[in-house]
Amino acid sequence: MIRFLFKGLLRDRHRSLIPFIVTATGVMLTVVFHSWITGVLGNSIEFNARFAAGHVKIMTSAYSKNAAQTPNDLAILGTDTLTRIISEQFPEMEFSERIYFAGLVDVPDLSGETRAQGPSMGIGIDMLSGNQAEIERLNIPSSLKSGSLPQQRREALLSRTFAEKLGLHIGDTLTLVSSTMFGELALYNFTLCGTIEFGTTALDRGTLIADITDVRDALNMADATGEILGFSRIGHYNNEEATNIASRFNKSYYSEKDDFSLLMKSLAEQNNMGFLVEYSSKLKGILVFVFIVAMSLILWNAGLLGGLRRYGEFGMRLAIGEEKGHVYRTTLMESLIIGFLGSMAGTIIGLAISFYLQTYGIDLGPMMKNASIMMPQVFRARITPEAWYIGFIPGVLSSLFGTMIAGIGIYKRQTAQLFKELES
Amino acid sequence: MLAFKLALRNLLGAGLRTWLNVIILSFSFIIIIWLKGLLEGWDRQAKNDMIKWEIGGGQFWQASYDPFDPFTLLDSHSTIPDVLSDSVTNGTLVPVLISQGTIYPNGRMQSVLFKGISPEQKVLALPTLKLKSDGTYIPAIIGSSMAESTQLKEGDYVTARWRDKNGTFDAAEIRIACIYQTNVPSVDVGQVWLPIDNVREMMLLPGEATILVANKEGWKTEKSDKWIFKDQKTLLIDIENIIKAKSFVGILIWAILLMMAMLAVFDTQVLSIFRRQKEIGTYVALGMTRGQVVQLFTIEGAMHSVLATLVAAAYGIPLLTFQAIRGISIPVESKDFGIAMAAKLYPVYSLTLITGTVIVVLIVTTIVSYWPSRKIGRLSPTEALRGRIQ
Amino acid sequence: MKKLILLLLTGFSTLYAQLPDGKQILDKIDQNLSSENRVFSSSMIIHGRRTTHTIRLKTWTAGENKSFTEYLFPVREQGTKMLKLEEQLWIYSPSTDRIIQITGHMLRQSVMGSDLSYEDLMEDKKLTDQYIAKVTGSEIVDGHNCWIIQLTAFVPEIAYQEQKLWVDQERNIPLREEMFAKSGTLLKKTELSDVQRINGRWYPKKIVFKDMLKEGSGTEFLIEEIEFNVPIADYIFSKASLKK
């Protein structure tokens, strides 16, 4: 029976092709819309994750209570081993050590005495190991305004305006004045290798970025780090995953009594980010729901019109003795087949497009040449499990409902009348 | 002209079917504008929040004030100039005196900024009324991030220490009168808001301020003045850049929504034209040129969207305006400190968005109507009359 | 009636006479603690939240305004030197071969994570130049009879509006100091002990500083060796000597 209907559908392109195209397009749009909205709304969250919070972050319990001040005297010790162990324990996360610190940048004159000085916020990240992950996360390559990334030890990047204010040029020496993990005075020389600009006043005033090995030397933090940030290998923040990993981690590492036990916080647990996480997920819910309702109406309308168009044919079929119920049922079955196949095709195409947008994203770089902006210039979609089935609701059900309503005419009207519509 | 009349008559003659299409199309209009407006509203929320909580209609800064260099705070305070003092008195400018200090929650030392503000101010959303007290204690309000990092709760007392303008140490217990929740970290993290009279007394700086927050735009720096006016645009430059970037991203969403509308048009239009083959045959048989037939159908299609625009305007304008004013409640339960925050989103419908949507849909409808009718126009009238197009 | 008044007056004056003049005591303290110049080595023991660490220093001072300090320990800090002239402070570190000037706000930062700021270290103006001293009573501290002296600042630019000293009545050395905020809150406490006779003067060899608002055990300052009024070459107090 299905095979018979299927053949019919294949042979009568008008009965199949246009509804199929319409359904597939609708479903495709739904899937792409869902993935893109998810990606775009997640953008602020990802941005926060990359620059500050990670998807999860490990700190000592004492550090976490004062995290805004980056108290490196409360740093995590024995990080080499720790990072190795947790990487095995939580393979779903990629861990990166980071040291945030405050200090002064001091510029010498010819005799090595202070010529200029300014307050600075420093970030020590992995830049020299060959792993590009951290450099990419902080969007450093596209924020580079002059010079190059550090290629060797003792090289540092500085905010462009900061370097200008201090009268520094690429290749010049600068001295970081800060305090070590033990509170001692820390003095360390760097060569300025490049200037950066993120497009955010706070970061463009006095940021110094250097390789974490240098920062460790400077701050006497051998085998220690202020924070360990974890980034999910699925590429984006998933609250359930992060919460789950954090609670597993804390079960084995955290103790309320020990100020220096390790505490993992999910992004949502840091700096009011929980609000943003929930807010954007609710907003996404609303947007997607409305979109689906609208798309359902359109597909329902398509189904309805498709059904109405076939009244002539129904009349003929009733005239040659087919039962009303049979006509109705086969019509519904046809609609179901088309809806299902259309939704399949739409979902596949939609996922393919979403996958492309997730992998390569849309590069806004060329469009924003002059605006320097801290956000990554490539915007990406994000495929979540819902994307796999979300298109089926409007795809299968609405055209089916449309056909159901249209098909009611089969029962209402007399054979003769339907037959007449064939003629008209 | 004839084509117009005929097209209109055809449309109205088709009755229910036309109206069904028009309603579906108008619905697409509304959905496009509404969804896009919500997203733009979301993008701008941070900006609106900053205006509401932090920058008001712009700010006067004491000449040496630099928010990114807390050490400038030692010098960045002055008395309010005469030209501005009336505005301060009537509340259109709110003075804020900022100074550095230290608090000791549970014996831990934490550097903070003390920000003195008038409890009666109405320019910023800070719950400053809670800074009113009976004089037996110094009331303070802090944001939830600050509360989290200091582990302070409402009603707690905490030791504050500061140095007055002479560098002399002073200390007092302050009482956390209120913890507020805000999306603007720059009025939350690392700062404690106190009544300005207390801060002035603490610092020995009577009548002085660091910044003056304006209630609305339109101020400018007076010449030879120690106070420099920073307008909203200057203060919001970072966030404006982000909004600009996001608006590029929004184009794709708009494109998806437009495609959805196109689907609706295509769907109704293509089907209705295929169904009207005989009618086309009749037109041609009656002596209309093919061009005229194509024109008629194109106008009919375009008219669909014109009607849809009118219908959409009829119910959409009040609906969307209502939402833009009232905002849409997003049910977020913030677990932090059990403070329920009314998360409202205000959709933003730009003129470009509305006209752009109308024009694009109009063009698309016209094309979608033109394309199939062109094919039909090519057929011989007899074939068309007999309904044999396929 | 007249008699009564006379009695009261004499009574009061005798009572008052029992308490010596505060300024005189401060002068005597100065005789013990101040000197034309001195050379000393010391250790600073800093109790952090997690670790305790020790710094060893050698210091040359002349008068109120010149001082030169060299870090001897830990190895990491070896060769770091600090020069203070008047209100200015320079630090030299051999690892960077740089002379860094510490100014303004940096002076208020803690030295080596201790409870002392650079400013505290530099603050060595005579108490009598800044405070009015009034003896308010006596008390026994560590087995020694002490005068309690209330210090009230008469200059505006001063860190502590009020201080309280417990001064050993025999040796004229303060054994305890308390620094107060204007509001009267106790901010810092210093305890001086291990008072020894050196070159004819009494000198405390152990000083413990404690920030009273903060949790923690404070910072200990131990004088290991001290010489008074030894000749110090002038070049010591020059920037050139930082790099030597």
Side-chain angles (χ1 to χ4, degrees), chain A residues 13 23 42 62 64 82 84 127 132-133 137 143 149 168 170 185 201 261-262 275 277 280 301 308 317 331 345 358 402:
Chain A
R13 281 201 305 138
T23 310
S64 80
L82 178 70
R84 214 173 43 241
M127 295 177 105
Q132 296 285 302
R137 272 181 208 127
S143 307
L149 297 180
L168 277 168
I170 306 291
L185 183 75
T201 323
S261 63
L262 300 177
F275 179 78
V277 168
S280 56
N301 187 38
L308 292 177
R317 280 164 67 181
T331 314
Q358 177 173 282

Side-chain angles (χ1 to χ4, degrees), chain B residues 233-273:
Chain B
K233 211 177 142 202
T234 314
L235 295 171
L236 289 168
I237 186 87
D238 290 351
I239 221 156
E240 289 287 4
N241 279 339
I242 291 174
I243 291 174
K244 213 185 284 170
K246 284 194 177 171
S247 72
F248 285 116
V249 176
I251 290 174
L252 183 65
I253 289 165
W254 192 55
I256 294 175
L257 293 170
L258 278 175
M259 279 168 78
M260 178 181 83
M262 272 162 66
L263 195 66
V265 180
F266 178 81
D267 198 41
T268 53
Q269 206 60 17
V270 170
L271 288 179
S272 76
I273 284 169

Side-chain angles (χ1 to χ4, degrees), chain A residues 7 246 269:
Chain A
K7 270 194 179 152
E269 289 170 312

Side-chain angles (χ1 to χ4, degrees), chain A residues 76-283:
Chain A
I76 305 169
L77 306 178
T79 51
D80 282 358
T81 329
L82 178 70
T83 310
R84 214 173 43 241
I85 294 172
I86 55 176
S87 298
E88 278 165 23
Q89 231 170 341
F90 305 98
E92 56 272 55
M93 287 269 159
E94 191 180 345
F95 292 98
S96 294
E97 294 161 34
R98 268 190 211 175
I99 300 175
Y100 291 90
F101 58 96
L104 283 177
V105 166
D106 186 287
V107 180
D109 60 12
L110 287 174
S111 60
E113 287 188 39
T114 298
R115 177 169 59 84
Q117 218 176 49
S120 173
M121 274 306 302
I123 312 172
I125 55 162
D126 174 17
M127 295 177 105
L128 296 176
S129 75
N131 184 345
Q132 296 285 302
E134 284 281 272
I135 296 176
E136 298 289 334
R137 272 181 208 127
L138 295 186
N139 198 28
I140 293 174
S142 49
S143 307
L144 198 67
K145 291 293 151 195
S146 67
S148 59
L149 297 180
Q151 303 297 321
Q152 54 190 32
R153 292 288 305 273
R154 288 189 173 265
E155 288 190 332
L157 297 165
L158 224 54
S159 302
R160 187 177 62 82
T161 46
F162 191 43
E164 278 168 11
K165 209 173 85 185
L166 296 173
L168 277 168
H169 302 281
I170 306 291
D172 286 355
T173 300
L174 58 99
T175 307
L176 168 71
V177 183
S178 183
S179 55
T180 69
M181 185 164 79
F182 305 101
E184 308 137 344
L185 183 75
L187 294 173
Y188 199 78
N189 282 349
F190 283 106
T191 304
L192 182 68
C193 66
T195 61
I196 40 170
E197 193 165 73
F198 292 109
T200 290
T201 323
L203 276 174
D204 288 340
R205 284 299 304 273
T207 300
L208 180 149
I209 300 180
D211 186 65
I212 193 163
T213 349
D214 280 318
V215 174
R216 284 200 171 114
D217 278 2
L219 306 183
N220 201 5
M221 292 178 73
D223 202 17
T225 186
E227 308 175 354
I228 299 175
L229 278 68
F231 294 91
S232 170
R233 291 195 193 274
I234 53 175
H236 52 79
Y237 182 70
N238 178 328
N239 200 29
E240 270 168 52
E241 185 195 34
T243 313
N244 178 330
I245 289 178
S247 76
R248 268 162 59 208
F249 179 93
N250 292 337
K251 213 167 266 170
S252 47
Y253 290 93
Y254 176 64
S255 147
E256 212 168 302
K257 285 171 212 138
D258 180 2
D259 266 357
F260 295 100
S261 63
L262 300 177
L263 178 65
M264 185 189 271
K265 281 187 169 182
S266 70
L267 176 137
E269 289 170 312
Q270 299 174 47
N271 307 330
N272 268 351
M273 287 293 291
F275 179 78
L276 189 61
V277 168
E278 203 176 325
Y279 191 102
S280 56
S281 99
K282 287 273 162 65
L283 179 62

Side-chain angles (χ1 to χ4, degrees), chain B residues 40 43 101 103 181 230 244 254 276 285 305 319 339 351:
Chain B
E40 280 193 26
D43 287 346
I103 56 168
Q181 186 138 31
K230 307 271 179 182
K244 213 185 284 170
W254 192 55
R276 290 164 62 188
S305 50
L319 193 77
I339 305 164
L351 195 65

